Amino acid sequence: MGVVEALGVARATRRLAVCVLLGASMASGGAAAISEAVLSPRNASYTISVELDAAEKRLEGSLLLEWRNIQDLPTDELRFHLYWNAWRNNRSSWMREDRYRGRSDRGEKILAEDWSSSDLESIRLLGVDDQPATDLLPTLSYLWPDDGNIDDRTLFKVDLPAAVEPGETIRVEIEWTARIPRTFARTGYRGDYFFLAHWFPKLAVFEKEGWRAHQYHAATEYYSDYGVYDVSMKVPAGWVLGATGREVERRDNGDGSETHRYSQADVHAFTWTVSPEYLELQDRFEEPGLPPVELRLLLQPEHRRQAERHFAATKAALKYYGSWYGPYPYPQLTVVDPAFGSGAGGMEYPTLFTSGTRLFNPLGAGRPEGVTIHEAGHQFWYGIVGNNEFEHAWLDEGLNSFTDARVLEAAYDEWVYSKRYFTPPGTEAGQGFFPFLFRDIRLTREVDGNGLDRYRRTAISDVQSMPTWRYHPETASGISYSKTATWLHTLERHLGWDTLRRILSTFFERFSFAHPKPEDFYAVASEVAGEDLYRFFDQVVRQARTFDYAIDSVKSERQKAEGWFEADGELVLREEEQSPDESSEEGAEYHTEVVVRRLGSGTFPLDVLLVFEDGSEVRRTWDGRYRWKRIAHDGPSKLEYAVVDPERTLLLDENYTNNSRFLEPGDRWPATKWAGKWLMWFQNLLMSFAYFV
Amino acid sequence: MLGALIHGLRRTAAAPGLVILLWLASLVAALPAAVMVQEAIHRSVGTSLARESLREGFDTGWFGEFEAASEGLPATLSPSHTGVGAVFDALDAWWNGDLFRMPVSTLVFGVTFALLWLFLLGGALTRLHRPRDRMGWVDVVAAGGRLFPRYLRLAVLSAPLYYGVFRLAGWLFPKIEHLTRDVTLERTVLVYNMLAAVLIVLLLALVKMVGDYAKIAIVVENRRSSVLAFLAGCGFVLRHPISTLGLVSLFAVLTMALIAAFAAVAPGARESTVVGIILAIAASQVFLVLRTALRLGLLASQVVLFDEQRRRI
């Protein structure tokens, strides 16, 4: 049999398989794993048959897309993403932007076989009833709406022979082949390990304004409609496979391969992974008031002893996200521990996510717990609430980062600073093989969990309300993740957790299985909080305002009855020595003046606290609008220190050190203490230099 | 080998002044920089409440602000300088070559100290070679000054070899990364990296041994030519590979034991009283004194070994 002939037979077989699967699926009223309750519009459903050539690192697949136009306007075209073409060569927009964010050496390390591709063999619009199919391939054209890069092949359109009217359903059959990348953007292979995400031609989202489709960018992720996925994957027999949804069928093909069929409804993506090495472990999440969830963990064998930590972190996420926002609606969740060096860790997909750990990873270092909670949390923010990650990534990444830090704080006692040693040359500093925990240095949710440092570095690099794909690639995540988490935590401290939780749970409830926009979030927030929060959002999202309040000066002096006084209608100059006996003076003894300043462009109402030597306190509120405010107080005690925003409500304040000031100049011992530690390091370093002479 | 080790340690113990001198050299060289860092920290915390949180422990919030605003030496401050982390940081930078990618200000201090160390080494080796001679500070410094030009030439001769080792490391580790690009288990990759690291550390030790025995040859045999001394060092190491390498290995074990002991007692971040802060600084300096003593002990043992082998001939 010739190659061309073989290819033709294979295609025909796959096409037949798709038809059989679709027929079976429809005949049975949907696969077993498809839930009875319809949770989403299910307007973009896929039946896919794909074969993995593990040796050649290739995929051959065919799919049947059923798409229903749920908007009020017709369309005479379809737009699709071909994500894997982002790594077809180094001229794609993704690769150009990747270089732009300072990873210029990546291209040099890429070998010819590392690049990927996704090529359409055919695309046909199936006819209704007995009408023949229409070949759409001749109408295919690539689109570059974002940057006009004609070398980019991540987005294409095909013209339809007739417009799809509102409410109308069409069926499109696609055959394609793909070369699997050596991992880019957490998808690809390493040896016999495969993690395959965004791997098939995927329909973009048709919204009320028309097609909402962007090219694939280095700093953005994905956006698609909900549907039913029924996917059959042919892989080498005996390998362990994990995928979105549940396995509904497994067939031994008798040729050394197996076909696994997985199905899941009400999701907007389908991801799978396969490897001969995975350890497969099961557990079950049970929590009063929440539905049970079957947990499946695909673990690297060398991480066997960390299995329970993965389960515990996943359960913590399901528990807290579930009770704070709403229950996880699917019956199962798959946790994937990716292969070492695969670069596939820390990514979310519907009902499946990747965590990420290391061979040596003591409890307290924050991993794999932090990443597991974060990615499990994405089941809620991204999976269930499906915002457009091309344009408003902060809606899921930010809300999720805020929440995962909250869960980490609630579920774990110890989170300390750690550093990894034995760092081979060329490896990023501190990413060595052996960790060391500094148990005296505890990390906190507000600073380390939210990523306050990243927020500080990126605060003004972009206006947050801009489409995410327009962000500078290097600082995009700082805004989407850290800035959002920081302003949400600020809101939590301003409004109280109960109010913020109600805001988030209301937003979750209203936009589950939908595509909310930032305006929806602002509206829900103001409505639930019962106050106009638009001014706050204007400053932090629609503008890149910076926040910095400071104590400018403090003064606290004993009241002196000196100067010009009126006595019996005449002006009298009273000098200090003429002052009456101070001990006999009634009322105020000390006059205290504190000047607070607003150094940033953003404003926020704050408290100013004056603490006196006798332990008494005076608290004043300040709307924080004018550039400065003088706070005066007369009292019996001398000021010890003053602090603006004593509870640190405004976590967005980029310099909190200047928020407080003691009246008396302090000693140098704290500085000496840390300079002493630095001295020790520096002497060791100098002795290392001396080694070479 | 063991005899050389014991005799070397005895000679070092009999010359505490030398240990103190070399330790003081590192302290004096580092102190001005530490004062700069102290001033930068003090200026940053000023009279704010952060001062108190730094006194009680470490404040990651303050540190982020400090780091963002710092340049030069103060910018090298890291929470990992706490306790034994300071030693690990320096060791990691030593073996993987990050030492030479440090900021210019650090490099200037490093090179200056290396020259000072080289200067003192001449005197120290002379003293260790003649343990019964009474050598005062002036004699030690005079010997250092006399030998310094030759030692400097030796350092220049060693430099290309060290450069070659780091070039090899720069080639080897990416090669390992490439060879293991389809390996899915970290432990396998770790083994490859450890083997490569052992090779690199071994080569660094080899170059170091050649340099050390060349310096010893200059002192013991009063060699005038640095080149011939260097060749003598090479010859000695090649003729006695087991004893020379064994000696270095024994001292490496002793140094690791010292680091482990320090890790067990090293002050963390929580000392807050003046006494506690002083004791913490003192503890770290005691560790440095002992580390210097071990460094000197190795040199003394090498002198003994060199003398023994010479006498046998």
Side-chain angles (χ1 to χ4, degrees), chain A residues 114 182 190-191 302 340 358-359 419 421-423 440 448 655-657 660-662 666-668 672-674 677-678 680-681 683-684 686-687 691 693, chain B residues 26 38-39 47-49 51 54-55 60 64-65 76 81 89 92 96 113 178 180-184 186-187 204 208 215 262 268-269 271 285 291 295:
Chain A
D114 297 345
R182 184 174 287 277
R190 182 175 172 110
E302 63 185 357
F340 175 75
R358 297 290 298 269
L359 180 60
K419 187 171 177 180
Y421 292 100
F422 186 57
T423 316
D440 269 3
D448 310 286
N655 185 347
Y656 191 69
T657 303
S660 54
R661 182 177 281 203
F662 281 91
D667 59 59
R668 301 179 80 94
T672 305
K673 169 182 165 179
W674 287 99
K677 295 181 192 305
W678 184 89
M680 154 81 163
W681 165 75
Q683 282 174 274
N684 273 290
L686 293 184
M687 289 182 77
Y691 179 93
V693 293
Chain B
S26 77
Q38 186 217 30
E39 181 56 30
T47 55
S48 80
L49 287 171
R51 187 184 72 195
L54 271 191
R55 192 196 305 273
T60 54
E65 294 169 11
T76 59
H81 296 157
D89 274 9
D92 225 19
N96 69 18
F113 175 71
H178 181 78
T180 57
R181 68 201 308 254
D182 281 320
V183 175
T184 55
E186 184 178 1
R187 62 168 166 251
L204 287 176
K208 178 71 178 161
K215 289 186 193 85
F262 181 64
E271 70 277 10
Q285 293 305 317
R291 194 183 160 188
R295 179 76 71 90

XYZ file of all heavy atoms in Angstrom, chain A residues 114 182 190-191 302 340 358-359 419 421-423 440 448 655-657 660-662 666-668 672-674 677-678 680-681 683-684 686-687 691 693, chain B residues 26 38-39 47-49 51 54-55 60 64-65 76 81 89 92 96 113 178 180-184 186-187 204 208 215 262 268-269 271 285 291 295:
636
model
N 11.710 20.377 17.069
C 10.960 20.898 18.208
C 9.754 21.734 17.792
O 8.848 21.960 18.587
C 11.862 21.777 19.094
C 13.004 20.991 19.701
O 12.938 19.746 19.667
O 13.960 21.626 20.187
N 7.850 20.341 21.018
C 8.541 20.155 22.302
C 8.074 21.344 23.129
O 8.131 22.469 22.656
C 10.051 20.185 22.120
C 10.800 19.902 23.405
C 12.271 19.791 23.165
N 12.610 18.564 22.490
C 12.788 17.381 23.110
N 12.665 17.309 24.411
N 13.079 16.297 22.438
N 7.863 15.509 25.973
C 9.240 15.303 26.440
C 9.415 13.793 26.538
O 8.778 13.152 27.392
C 9.473 15.968 27.789
C 10.925 15.816 28.288
C 11.129 16.602 29.564
N 12.426 16.336 30.174
C 13.440 17.197 30.224
N 13.326 18.377 29.680
N 14.570 16.892 30.830
N 10.206 13.240 25.683
C 10.343 11.784 25.632
C 9.006 11.140 25.307
O 8.346 11.493 24.335
N 8.470 9.254 40.740
C 9.432 9.733 41.745
C 8.784 10.680 42.761
O 9.419 11.069 43.733
C 10.629 10.415 41.068
C 10.291 11.655 40.291
C 11.495 12.217 39.549
O 12.593 11.668 39.686
O 11.323 13.222 38.821
N 9.263 15.896 34.624
C 10.313 16.868 34.908
C 10.793 17.526 33.612
O 11.024 16.855 32.603
C 11.489 16.176 35.599
C 12.654 17.096 35.804
C 12.614 18.059 36.791
C 13.765 17.024 34.989
C 13.673 18.940 36.967
C 14.838 17.894 35.159
C 14.783 18.860 36.152
N 8.818 19.120 42.596
C 10.196 18.715 42.355
C 10.484 17.463 43.173
O 9.739 17.121 44.092
C 11.162 19.843 42.764
C 11.025 21.128 41.980
C 11.508 20.987 40.548
N 12.910 20.666 40.453
C 13.897 21.561 40.352
N 13.606 22.845 40.327
N 15.174 21.173 40.250
N 11.578 16.818 42.842
C 11.959 15.586 43.534
C 12.086 15.835 45.039
O 11.575 15.090 45.855
C 13.286 15.082 42.953
C 13.867 13.813 43.528
C 12.907 12.647 43.345
C 15.205 13.499 42.865
N 14.749 28.611 49.269
C 15.606 28.822 48.104
C 16.189 27.479 47.683
O 16.479 26.640 48.544
C 16.720 29.813 48.454
C 17.544 30.218 47.249
C 18.493 31.348 47.570
C 19.350 31.677 46.350
N 20.281 32.766 46.610
N 19.145 25.229 46.002
C 20.588 25.283 45.747
C 21.012 24.157 44.819
O 20.210 23.344 44.410
C 21.352 25.214 47.071
C 21.148 26.455 47.910
C 20.252 26.467 48.963
C 21.816 27.635 47.598
C 20.045 27.619 49.711
C 21.617 28.789 48.343
C 20.732 28.770 49.397
O 20.533 29.912 50.127
N 22.317 24.108 44.552
C 22.919 23.237 43.551
C 22.309 23.612 42.195
O 21.562 22.861 41.574
C 22.722 21.757 43.855
C 23.464 20.868 42.898
C 24.832 20.986 42.749
C 22.804 19.931 42.131
C 25.523 20.191 41.844
C 23.473 19.127 41.221
C 24.841 19.262 41.078
N 22.641 24.818 41.796
C 22.103 25.391 40.574
C 23.124 25.235 39.459
O 24.150 25.921 39.454
C 21.828 26.900 40.787
O 21.206 27.066 42.064
C 20.945 27.455 39.706
N 12.485 30.735 59.776
C 12.278 31.979 60.534
C 11.619 33.060 59.686
O 11.203 34.083 60.222
C 13.630 32.516 61.023
C 13.969 31.970 62.388
O 13.184 31.148 62.891
O 15.007 32.360 62.942
N 3.258 38.101 49.852
C 3.787 37.061 48.975
C 2.689 36.325 48.206
O 2.873 35.962 47.051
C 4.621 36.087 49.807
C 5.626 36.838 50.671
O 6.614 37.326 50.127
O 5.391 36.972 51.886
N 4.554 51.969 48.786
C 5.615 52.126 49.786
C 4.965 52.247 51.152
O 4.516 53.325 51.546
C 6.450 53.381 49.458
C 7.635 53.523 50.407
O 7.716 52.853 51.425
N 8.557 54.403 50.060
N 4.903 51.131 51.842
C 4.251 51.150 53.149
C 5.231 51.546 54.238
O 4.820 51.946 55.323
C 3.648 49.775 53.455
C 2.731 49.785 54.660
C 1.506 50.445 54.608
C 3.098 49.162 55.845
C 0.667 50.482 55.710
C 2.267 49.191 56.954
C 1.051 49.859 56.882
O 0.228 49.895 57.982
N 6.506 51.466 53.939
C 7.502 51.824 54.950
C 7.345 53.286 55.357
O 7.488 53.625 56.532
C 8.924 51.578 54.396
O 9.024 50.216 53.992
C 9.985 51.848 55.443
N 4.586 55.163 58.277
C 4.659 55.326 59.728
C 5.927 56.080 60.094
O 6.915 56.080 59.343
C 4.641 53.955 60.410
O 5.662 53.147 59.884
N 5.874 56.703 61.229
C 7.071 57.424 61.681
C 7.049 57.567 63.203
O 6.054 57.974 63.796
C 7.127 58.812 61.035
C 8.378 59.585 61.443
C 8.466 60.901 60.749
N 8.951 60.758 59.385
C 9.533 61.756 58.709
N 9.676 62.947 59.260
N 9.936 61.566 57.481
N 8.172 57.191 63.802
C 8.361 57.433 65.234
C 8.763 58.892 65.440
O 9.392 59.494 64.558
C 9.463 56.536 65.784
C 9.030 55.121 66.043
C 9.155 54.146 65.069
C 8.494 54.761 67.278
C 8.756 52.842 65.301
C 8.095 53.452 67.525
C 8.219 52.497 66.536
N 15.329 56.444 65.723
C 15.529 55.126 66.303
C 16.985 54.707 66.349
O 17.855 55.377 65.799
N 17.216 53.576 66.987
C 18.565 53.047 67.012
C 18.873 52.347 65.687
O 17.988 52.142 64.855
C 18.730 52.065 68.182
C 17.762 50.913 68.081
O 17.818 50.201 67.077
O 16.927 50.720 69.002
N 20.118 51.964 65.527
C 20.534 51.346 64.267
C 20.595 49.824 64.368
O 21.063 49.158 63.441
C 21.916 51.880 63.852
C 21.962 53.375 63.660
C 23.351 53.832 63.277
N 23.625 53.615 61.867
C 23.443 54.513 60.915
N 22.939 55.693 61.219
N 23.731 54.239 59.666
N 21.756 47.007 61.786
C 22.998 46.292 62.103
C 22.790 44.786 62.042
O 23.648 44.037 61.556
C 23.493 46.705 63.510
O 23.614 48.118 63.542
C 24.822 46.059 63.841
N 21.632 44.367 62.540
C 21.323 42.925 62.539
C 21.384 42.357 61.117
O 22.035 41.342 60.875
C 19.918 42.736 63.131
C 19.339 41.360 62.968
C 17.921 41.342 63.548
C 17.160 40.128 63.102
N 15.798 40.100 63.668
N 20.745 43.034 60.189
C 20.692 42.504 58.827
C 21.979 42.779 58.067
O 22.368 41.992 57.200
C 19.447 43.012 58.098
C 18.274 42.283 58.672
C 17.401 42.735 59.623
C 17.922 40.916 58.433
N 16.525 41.741 59.981
C 16.814 40.617 59.258
C 18.429 39.915 57.619
C 16.214 39.361 59.275
C 17.827 38.670 57.626
C 16.737 38.398 58.447
N 24.238 39.952 58.914
C 24.018 38.729 58.118
C 24.595 38.889 56.719
O 25.162 37.958 56.148
C 22.521 38.415 58.058
C 21.949 38.068 59.420
C 20.487 37.734 59.347
C 19.881 37.689 60.749
N 20.556 36.789 61.673
N 24.415 40.092 56.181
C 24.977 40.362 54.853
C 26.505 40.272 54.905
O 27.136 39.734 53.990
C 24.536 41.755 54.389
C 24.978 42.081 52.995
C 24.317 41.826 51.840
C 26.207 42.706 52.610
N 25.034 42.252 50.761
C 26.210 42.799 51.200
C 27.310 43.204 53.309
C 27.261 43.367 50.478
C 28.361 43.763 52.596
C 28.328 43.847 51.198
N 28.333 38.437 56.819
C 28.717 37.013 56.841
C 28.706 36.437 55.417
O 29.627 35.734 54.997
C 27.721 36.286 57.735
C 27.524 34.829 57.451
S 28.808 33.854 58.180
C 28.096 32.229 58.162
N 27.645 36.753 54.677
C 27.559 36.273 53.292
C 28.704 36.847 52.462
O 29.362 36.126 51.708
C 26.210 36.684 52.687
C 26.167 36.546 51.186
C 26.073 35.387 50.485
C 26.244 37.600 50.219
N 26.069 35.657 49.124
C 26.179 37.008 48.939
C 26.347 38.984 50.311
C 26.213 37.757 47.753
C 26.375 39.725 49.134
C 26.321 39.113 47.879
N 31.639 37.993 53.403
C 32.949 37.423 53.738
C 33.111 36.037 53.102
O 34.178 35.697 52.603
C 33.114 37.318 55.263
C 33.443 38.653 55.916
C 33.446 38.543 57.419
O 32.409 38.665 58.047
N 34.601 38.281 58.003
N 32.045 35.248 53.158
C 32.093 33.938 52.487
C 32.349 34.098 51.002
O 33.098 33.332 50.391
C 30.777 33.192 52.698
C 30.782 32.397 53.993
O 31.489 31.399 54.102
N 30.025 32.855 54.961
N 33.855 36.642 49.557
C 35.241 37.094 49.358
C 36.201 35.907 49.445
O 37.160 35.806 48.674
C 35.619 38.152 50.401
C 34.895 39.498 50.298
C 35.442 40.477 51.338
C 35.027 40.105 48.907
N 35.922 34.996 50.366
C 36.792 33.815 50.476
C 36.660 32.927 49.238
O 37.619 32.252 48.854
C 36.473 33.046 51.751
C 36.959 33.826 52.985
S 36.673 32.990 54.535
C 37.959 31.776 54.514
N 39.699 31.829 46.617
C 40.002 30.458 46.196
C 40.777 30.460 44.885
O 41.615 29.596 44.641
C 38.687 29.688 46.022
C 38.868 28.264 45.555
C 38.961 27.226 46.476
C 38.960 27.950 44.199
C 39.140 25.919 46.062
C 39.141 26.644 43.777
C 39.230 25.637 44.710
O 39.418 24.344 44.289
N 43.084 32.341 43.681
C 44.456 32.882 43.571
C 45.424 32.004 44.364
O 45.023 31.216 45.199
C 44.556 34.330 44.075
C 43.768 35.250 43.158
C 44.112 34.452 45.518
N 39.529 39.316 55.924
C 38.211 39.237 55.287
C 37.235 40.196 55.956
O 36.400 40.816 55.300
C 37.677 37.804 55.329
O 37.189 37.483 56.611
N 24.448 48.612 55.844
C 23.754 48.993 57.075
C 23.131 50.376 56.932
O 21.989 50.603 57.330
C 24.746 48.973 58.253
C 24.085 49.217 59.593
C 24.942 50.054 60.518
O 25.721 50.893 60.067
N 24.793 49.813 61.806
N 23.885 51.289 56.354
C 23.387 52.649 56.173
C 22.165 52.654 55.239
O 21.179 53.355 55.493
C 24.511 53.528 55.584
C 24.143 54.981 55.363
C 23.649 55.679 56.629
O 24.083 55.302 57.720
O 22.789 56.580 56.499
N 12.601 55.943 60.543
C 11.952 55.892 61.849
C 10.583 55.226 61.724
O 9.685 55.497 62.498
C 11.799 57.320 62.410
O 11.094 58.087 61.437
C 13.120 57.966 62.706
N 10.444 54.377 60.708
C 9.131 53.760 60.491
C 8.953 52.512 61.348
O 9.902 52.015 61.971
C 8.967 53.388 59.022
O 9.630 52.180 58.768
N 7.734 51.997 61.339
C 7.450 50.767 62.081
C 8.181 49.560 61.504
O 8.357 48.553 62.183
C 5.934 50.494 62.078
C 5.086 51.407 62.959
C 3.605 51.171 62.688
C 5.383 51.168 64.435
N 11.130 49.301 61.017
C 12.337 49.127 61.835
C 12.086 48.060 62.900
O 12.929 47.205 63.142
C 12.656 50.467 62.502
C 13.953 50.520 63.237
C 14.100 51.852 63.932
N 13.198 51.978 65.081
C 12.915 53.121 65.687
N 13.416 54.252 65.235
N 12.121 53.152 66.718
N 11.779 44.563 61.407
C 13.111 44.045 61.052
C 13.866 43.619 62.303
O 14.678 42.703 62.266
C 13.923 45.113 60.332
C 13.806 45.192 58.816
C 14.876 46.110 58.269
C 13.934 43.825 58.179
N 13.585 44.287 63.380
C 14.247 43.921 64.636
C 13.736 42.543 65.091
O 14.490 41.696 65.529
C 13.955 44.969 65.718
C 14.810 44.837 66.976
C 14.223 45.619 68.145
N 13.991 47.020 67.828
C 14.904 47.985 67.949
N 16.103 47.689 68.369
N 14.599 49.237 67.659
N 9.087 40.757 54.654
C 9.185 40.610 53.193
C 8.554 41.799 52.465
O 8.952 42.124 51.346
C 8.523 39.300 52.719
O 7.194 39.249 53.209
C 9.289 38.089 53.200
N 10.732 43.993 49.734
C 10.346 44.262 48.344
C 10.545 45.726 47.991
O 11.039 46.067 46.905
N 10.177 46.593 48.933
C 10.348 48.037 48.694
C 11.832 48.406 48.661
O 12.276 49.193 47.820
C 9.638 48.834 49.794
C 8.126 48.667 49.751
C 7.442 49.227 50.995
O 8.103 49.926 51.791
O 6.244 48.946 51.169
N 22.249 43.614 46.788
C 22.565 42.181 46.888
C 22.020 41.559 48.172
O 22.116 40.344 48.350
C 24.100 41.938 46.843
O 24.703 42.641 47.934
C 24.702 42.416 45.538
N 20.422 35.252 53.079
C 21.662 35.464 53.830
C 21.499 35.104 55.300
O 22.444 35.214 56.080
C 22.123 36.926 53.715
C 22.484 37.305 52.312
N 22.469 38.599 51.858
C 22.834 36.557 51.259
C 22.808 38.618 50.578
N 23.036 37.388 50.198
N 24.694 30.218 49.663
C 24.670 31.191 48.562
C 26.065 31.344 47.950
O 26.238 31.332 46.729
C 24.201 32.562 49.081
C 22.684 32.681 49.084
O 22.014 31.660 48.848
O 22.176 33.793 49.329
N 27.253 28.064 46.168
C 26.600 27.870 44.868
C 27.228 28.788 43.812
O 27.483 28.375 42.683
C 25.103 28.172 45.006
C 24.244 27.115 44.313
O 24.751 26.015 44.053
O 23.067 27.398 44.026
N 29.362 27.253 40.402
C 28.729 27.382 39.084
C 29.171 28.636 38.327
O 28.650 28.913 37.247
C 27.199 27.296 39.182
C 26.580 28.488 39.875
O 27.201 29.539 40.010
N 25.358 28.342 40.332
N 40.102 41.767 47.559
C 40.357 40.851 48.668
C 41.251 39.689 48.225
O 42.131 39.257 48.982
C 39.048 40.307 49.241
C 39.280 39.271 50.309
C 39.778 39.642 51.563
C 39.059 37.928 50.067
C 40.028 38.696 52.540
C 39.321 36.976 51.042
C 39.802 37.360 52.290
N 20.810 19.091 26.960
C 20.420 18.592 25.642
C 20.272 17.068 25.661
O 19.298 16.521 25.142
C 21.449 19.015 24.600
C 21.105 18.557 23.220
N 20.160 19.208 22.460
C 21.530 17.507 22.494
C 20.034 18.565 21.303
N 20.866 17.538 21.302
N 19.597 15.167 28.092
C 18.496 14.693 28.948
C 17.171 15.353 28.578
O 16.232 15.310 29.362
C 18.801 14.991 30.438
O 19.019 16.400 30.585
C 20.018 14.239 30.918
N 17.115 15.929 27.399
C 15.888 16.677 27.054
C 14.679 15.765 26.896
O 13.542 16.242 26.873
C 16.109 17.542 25.810
C 16.301 16.796 24.521
C 17.007 17.651 23.487
N 16.440 18.950 23.258
C 15.729 19.302 22.184
N 15.473 18.409 21.251
N 15.273 20.512 22.036
N 14.896 14.451 26.782
C 13.763 13.538 26.728
C 13.618 12.717 27.997
O 12.788 11.814 28.067
C 13.895 12.604 25.517
C 13.462 13.307 24.240
O 12.463 14.057 24.301
O 14.135 13.157 23.206
N 14.435 13.030 29.002
C 14.337 12.312 30.279
C 13.237 12.954 31.107
O 13.197 14.171 31.268
C 15.685 12.376 31.042
C 15.556 11.735 32.419
C 16.773 11.694 30.226
N 12.356 12.117 31.620
C 11.193 12.666 32.340
C 11.337 12.592 33.856
O 10.470 13.073 34.570
C 9.915 11.909 31.936
O 10.130 10.517 32.174
C 9.588 12.133 30.472
N 13.371 13.579 37.256
C 14.337 14.560 37.763
C 15.562 13.879 38.336
O 16.674 14.377 38.209
C 13.673 15.442 38.826
C 14.582 16.551 39.329
C 13.915 17.470 40.341
O 12.744 17.250 40.670
O 14.596 18.402 40.797
N 15.355 12.721 38.993
C 16.512 12.099 39.638
C 17.577 11.671 38.615
O 18.762 11.717 38.909
C 16.101 10.945 40.546
C 15.433 9.800 39.893
C 15.335 8.606 40.846
N 14.398 7.652 40.302
C 13.203 7.402 40.805
N 12.799 8.024 41.876
N 12.404 6.526 40.244
N 38.437 22.061 39.410
C 38.746 23.286 40.169
C 39.741 22.956 41.280
O 40.687 23.713 41.533
C 37.464 23.878 40.766
C 36.497 24.565 39.793
C 35.231 25.016 40.518
C 37.157 25.775 39.122
N 43.559 24.230 41.759
C 43.879 24.839 43.043
C 45.102 24.144 43.664
O 46.013 24.798 44.184
C 42.659 24.712 43.965
C 42.857 25.274 45.359
C 42.918 26.764 45.323
C 43.070 27.352 46.712
N 43.577 28.713 46.636
N 53.004 27.356 45.114
C 53.314 28.365 46.138
C 54.225 27.745 47.201
O 55.178 28.374 47.674
C 52.022 28.868 46.792
C 51.157 29.729 45.895
C 49.983 30.298 46.686
C 48.944 30.892 45.777
N 47.972 29.947 45.239
N 27.415 24.439 61.827
C 26.949 25.830 61.842
C 25.451 25.883 61.532
O 24.705 26.665 62.140
C 27.738 26.664 60.827
C 27.322 28.111 60.809
C 27.507 28.919 61.930
C 26.729 28.664 59.685
C 27.116 30.255 61.911
C 26.340 29.991 59.658
C 26.537 30.788 60.787
N 18.903 32.439 63.320
C 17.932 32.664 62.248
C 17.679 34.136 62.060
O 18.631 34.919 61.965
N 16.394 34.497 62.048
C 16.049 35.897 61.806
C 15.401 36.539 63.016
O 15.010 37.689 62.970
C 15.079 35.969 60.617
N 16.490 36.984 66.326
C 17.152 37.641 67.441
C 16.787 39.121 67.414
O 16.855 39.759 66.373
C 18.670 37.436 67.396
C 19.424 38.151 66.301
C 19.407 37.405 64.980
O 18.669 36.435 64.863
O 20.135 37.829 64.056
N 30.906 35.065 62.874
C 32.336 35.342 62.743
C 33.179 34.171 63.272
O 34.246 33.882 62.730
C 32.702 36.651 63.462
C 32.095 37.899 62.814
C 32.454 38.023 61.338
O 33.596 37.801 60.932
N 31.466 38.358 60.493
N 36.405 28.441 59.539
C 36.543 28.144 58.113
C 37.933 28.568 57.620
O 38.587 27.862 56.851
C 35.445 28.884 57.329
C 35.333 28.352 55.931
C 34.332 29.064 55.090
N 34.668 28.787 53.686
C 34.112 29.348 52.660
N 33.155 30.239 52.837
N 34.486 29.046 51.439
N 40.971 26.336 56.061
C 41.673 26.695 54.822
C 43.185 26.691 55.065
O 43.966 26.162 54.272
C 41.178 28.076 54.358
C 41.805 28.627 53.102
C 41.306 27.991 51.825
N 39.956 28.341 51.470
C 39.623 29.372 50.707
N 40.536 30.190 50.269
N 38.379 29.587 50.386
